[in-house]
Amino acid sequence: MLNSRPAEPFDQRATMRAWERLLSGETTDLPAGVRPEILRSWQRCQTGGTDALAAGAPSVPRPDTPTRSCELLEAASDTLDQLGRLLDGTGAMLLLCDGEGVVIRAMGDPSTREKGREINLEVGGRWDEEAIGTNGIGTAIREGRPVFVHACEHFCAGIKGWSCAAAPIRDPFGFGTIGAIDLSGGPGIFRPHNLALVAAAAREIEALLGERHRQERERLLAAFIDAGASRGPDDAVVILDRVGRVVYSRNPPQGGGLRDGLLKVGQPLLDLGPHPSDTQIVAALPPALQPSGISPLILDGERRGTVLHLPARTKPRPVSAQIRPRAGTAEPPLPIVGASDIFLEAVDLARRAAEAGSSILVQGETGTGKELFARLVHTSERHKADAPFITMNCGAIAVELVASELFGHVAGAFTGAMRDGRPGKFELAHGGVLCLDEIGEMPLDIQPYLLRVLESRAIYRVGDSRRRPVEVQVVAMTNRDLMQDVSSGAFRADLYYRISTVTIEVPPLRARQGDVPLLVDHFNRAAARRLNRAPLRFSDAAMALLDGWSWPGNVRELRNVCDRLHVLVRGDRVEVSDLPEPMRRGPALPSRPGEQSLDEVEEAAIRQAFAAARGNVTRVAAILGVSRPTLYRKMRQYGIRRLTE
């Protein structure tokens, strides 16, 4: 139970002495018992001039709750109600705060809430670090992760009699911290699993926010189509939701002072109050984004979104590059399709590097089309029409065979060697291009030999002393961060700098503004020719979802979707219902590298609750705020026995 006496998490006296020494001006040799996040916070408070003798937080008078805070309140309501009902008599209270640390809802044990009012730990109280120093809410927001602050760890003297555990609530689209959830009370409520509890609650609220955004986006797109707000397929539009967040953009302007990512789905473009007028919306827009017209989007009888009609811009022309067929094949010329600035820059760099004969490193996520850039190098005027194009996947060959594959071997060089020997990839690529895919998988002990070949322009077959000159332009490809591999010792630095004379970053599809419709048209027509049928027609709603999808599999994923539609769609028109189910749910949300998944946090919370309740299932269910059947289901899911390890 929360109100049973816990063991202290640290030495309170040592912590208090460290705080006093810090205030007296001593900044070195503080006791080792002060946790790093607390010491960082104390130093921020001291540098910022926070009053260490403050008795409570200031109030923030607000005539109206901001619209984004209302969104957070609505999404968190069920979670707060479920947990809040369990707090009577526990000595604890639960608080929801906005991104500035202002409390927007408080609930829990009545006597604790009454004590909280004495320090303004109630709705309207401002609990960011700047206002009231080190505390659960403000420090969690500032640190960007769950934290607990216990008793003397608080910076301000007036709140050292409290213990709190808080977790930040992040925007589900990856645009920063939008709030925090906090469990506070007297020092007696401290439990290690309090932190896991608020972290799990924060992740649940984030998931609910993401789902609400997805549903709202879907309804706004439907309203946009139903209202006939589009002025044509080439119309440049941006759709905003009721708080000024980007829901969808099509043919947006580029350059002209617009920063990259400004119109990305989920981006808070404007900070709108409730019921903004068209005049207020226009006034709040960036100067480089002035609309030629505005249309409201009505849902449930009220304005829930806005369409910005932007001045028409010249329709982008696709890249006209054609990749020539490889010598000795019957394949047709292969077009490179794209028109976005970031893609055109990569294509131009590939052409210039090809003409210079430089070694080229092509980097990019899986499915971006890295091999197309290698083929583009092969198509340059530097290489004759019959010049060879040889590929080798460095990660698909047994380690002991890599040297033979690259450099060839002579008869009897090793067990299993060809009777007459065999040339390697370098010899086969003489006069043309050698494409080394997954170069990061190249065995470390082979890398010095590859480096020597690149520098001497000659190879020695395995088992042979004869020097064989080769003239090859090497294009290495990888989806890994080779610089990180260099730092860890998994890839030689000298080889890295030799193969990356020119580095081409192939942009992910989500960064190629305006290219999705071009690629859909290309793959649609290619599939139609292959199947001897008419191309499919896409409804505006279906194309909007395709254009707004984050494409984690990049161009390869888009091609597969087009092929799938040609197989599964009845008739010749693609509707939203024909698209894969994840796309119908809306854009994929970004992950946060290094952060625990919701399942991991949930499992940790359950295990810690079992440890605190000594295996009592009823108490664990009460601590976590779930029913016993739900708890049993979660125990089976995570393989948790009643008496946990």
Side-chain angles (χ1 to χ4, degrees):
M1 297 292 289
L2 285 172
N3 54 3
S4 60
R5 186 70 182 172
E8 292 290 355
F10 51 83
D11 188 336
Q12 288 280 352
R13 291 184 179 179
T15 302
M16 193 67 180
R17 286 196 299 271
W19 177 72
E20 292 169 346
R21 289 171 58 187
L22 185 73
L23 295 185
S24 67
E26 296 183 43
T27 58
T28 59
D29 299 326
L30 294 177
V34 181
R35 293 184 293 129
E37 61 266 38
I38 298 300
L39 185 56
R40 285 195 301 270
S41 178
W42 283 1
Q43 291 169 339
R44 288 194 297 265
C45 295
Q46 190 175 46
T47 302
T50 303
D51 181 6
L53 301 180
S59 294
V60 178
R62 286 180 172 173
D64 296 304
T65 303
T67 308
R68 288 194 179 127
S69 296
C70 289
E71 274 195 328
L72 180 58
L73 270 170
E74 292 168 1
S77 177
D78 288 346
T79 302
L80 295 175
D81 289 342
Q82 190 177 47
L83 293 175
R85 287 193 296 269
L86 304 173
L87 297 181
D88 282 355
T90 64
M93 60 188 296
L94 194 67
L95 303 115
L96 180 70
C97 306
D98 65 15
E100 298 174 353
V102 177
V103 180
I104 56 178
R105 188 173 176 192
M107 58 197 314
D109 181 63
S111 61
T112 306
R113 291 191 61 188
E114 186 62 35
K115 292 177 183 176
R117 293 187 183 96
E118 297 174 4
I119 59 172
N120 210 16
L121 191 59
E122 60 179 342
V123 174
R126 179 185 164 199
W127 284 83
D128 66 317
E129 278 192 350
E130 184 179 343
I132 190 61
T134 307
N135 71 92
I137 297 166
T139 304
I141 291 175
R142 183 62 184 266
E143 291 278 321
R145 61 189 181 90
V147 300
F148 72 82
V149 180
H150 183 58
C152 290
E153 289 185 319
H154 289 86
F155 184 77
C156 295
I159 58 174
K160 287 183 178 290
W162 287 76
S163 183
C164 47
I169 300 171
R170 300 181 180 90
D171 179 84
F173 289 97
F175 294 104
T177 298
I178 58 174
I181 186 167
D182 171 78
L183 185 71
S184 286
I189 75 160
F190 175 80
R191 289 289 184 282
H193 62 257
N194 289 355
L195 198 60
L197 185 64
V198 294
R203 299 296 85 79
E204 182 177 348
I205 293 169
E206 289 174 0
L208 290 169
L209 274 169
E211 176 62 17
R212 292 172 69 92
H213 292 338
R214 181 196 67 77
Q215 293 176 359
E216 184 83 350
R217 179 180 188 273
E218 194 172 272
R219 295 185 68 199
L220 287 172
L221 284 172
F224 169 67
I225 294 164
D226 292 343
S230 177
R231 298 174 180 176
D234 298 328
D235 185 20
V237 298
V238 175
I239 300 177
L240 307 178
D241 64 12
R242 58 177 174 161
V243 299
R245 186 170 36 230
V246 176
V247 168
Y248 171 69
S249 65
R250 183 176 70 197
N251 298 331
Q254 296 179 351
L258 287 179
R259 61 178 174 82
D260 291 341
L262 182 67
L263 300 180
K264 181 181 176 182
V265 170
Q267 170 73 52
L269 182 63
L270 305 177
D271 187 10
L272 299 179
H275 314 299
S277 66
D278 289 355
T279 302
Q280 291 172 322
I281 292 173
V282 172
L285 285 169
L289 195 67
Q290 292 302 302
S292 57
I294 290 182
S295 301
L297 293 177
I298 308 300
L299 296 176
D300 303 326
E302 65 172 325
R303 181 173 188 159
R304 298 287 290 273
T306 299
V307 181
L308 305 178
H309 299 275
L310 305 175
R313 66 183 178 93
T314 304
K315 187 175 181 180
R317 296 182 61 187
V319 175
S320 58
Q322 292 280 335
I323 295 174
R324 70 181 174 218
R326 286 171 287 195
T329 69
E331 61 187 13
L334 183 65
I336 289 185
V337 179
S340 59
D341 290 344
I342 190 172
F343 184 71
L344 295 179
E345 290 171 4
V347 169
D348 180 62
L349 180 58
R351 285 170 166 162
R352 288 186 284 124
E355 294 301 330
S358 307
S359 296
I360 301 170
L361 176 62
V362 182
Q363 297 186 140
E365 298 176 7
T366 298
T368 52
K370 295 186 290 294
E371 187 173 343
L372 284 180
F373 281 80
R375 294 284 302 277
L376 183 62
V377 171
H378 177 246
T379 300
S380 73
E381 294 181 2
R382 176 184 177 84
H383 300 292
K384 298 178 180 179
D386 60 350
F389 179 83
I390 304 297
T391 63
M392 173 176 161
N393 188 320
C394 302
I397 299 174
V399 173
E400 60 272 15
L401 297 178
V402 171
S404 173
E405 287 290 326
L406 277 174
F407 312 126
H409 64 265
V410 295
F414 52 85
T415 302
M418 301 290 290
R419 178 180 300 177
D420 298 324
R422 191 177 71 172
K425 301 295 186 184
F426 269 96
E427 285 184 79
L428 295 174
H430 180 67
V433 172
L434 173 59
C435 178
L436 298 177
D437 196 8
E438 296 189 32
I439 186 68
E441 304 297 329
M442 176 72 68
L444 199 58
D445 56 351
I446 299 296
Q447 292 180 23
Y449 298 99
L450 176 58
L451 176 64
R452 186 174 66 185
V453 170
L454 294 177
E455 292 180 339
S456 66
R457 297 183 179 275
I459 61 99
Y460 293 85
R461 289 187 182 182
V462 175
D464 193 12
S465 60
R466 175 186 165 191
R467 183 178 186 273
R468 301 171 189 260
V470 289
E471 186 62 37
V472 173
Q473 185 167 20
V474 171
V475 179
M477 303 191 301
T478 183
N479 59 6
R480 295 169 54 164
D481 184 347
L482 280 191
M483 276 304 296
Q484 184 174 342
D485 288 348
V486 169
S487 299
S488 66
F491 199 86
R492 290 179 62 104
D494 47 7
L495 178 59
Y496 171 79
Y497 291 115
R498 186 64 183 82
I499 64 175
S500 61
T501 304
V502 175
T503 299
I504 299 171
E505 298 286 348
V506 182
L509 185 51
R510 62 182 173 276
R512 294 171 55 179
Q513 191 73 267
D515 281 359
V516 168
L518 296 174
L519 287 163
V520 168
D521 180 70
H522 170 67
F523 291 130
N524 179 25
R525 294 180 183 279
R529 286 193 300 270
R530 193 167 59 249
L531 298 172
N532 194 27
R533 58 174 292 180
L536 296 171
R537 296 182 299 114
F538 289 78
S539 70
D540 285 348
M543 184 59 76
L545 285 181
L546 290 171
D547 200 16
W549 180 241
S550 62
W551 298 107
N554 292 294
V555 177
R556 183 180 297 139
E557 180 188 2
L558 175 56
R559 182 189 61 204
N560 291 344
V561 167
C562 290
D563 289 347
R564 175 184 184 274
L565 291 172
H566 270 275
V567 173
L568 299 180
V569 170
R570 298 182 184 275
D572 65 349
R573 183 174 172 83
V574 178
E575 302 290 351
V576 168
S577 58
D578 297 313
L579 298 180
E581 192 268 340
M583 291 183 185
R584 299 199 301 271
R585 291 203 309 264
L589 303 181
S591 60
R592 286 180 287 274
E595 182 181 335
Q596 284 185 304
S597 70
L598 179 59
D599 286 346
E600 290 170 331
V601 172
E602 186 175 60
E603 180 183 355
I606 294 173
R607 290 188 180 277
Q608 290 176 0
F610 263 107
R614 298 182 180 179
N616 186 304
V617 173
T618 301
R619 290 183 181 177
V620 171
I623 289 171
L624 297 174
V626 298
S627 65
R628 289 182 61 172
T630 297
L631 179 58
Y632 282 124
R633 178 169 56 81
K634 294 293 184 181
M635 289 168 64
R636 289 193 299 272
Q637 177 181 342
Y638 299 122
I640 298 173
R641 298 192 300 272
R642 180 173 298 196
L643 293 176
T644 57
E645 296 78 13

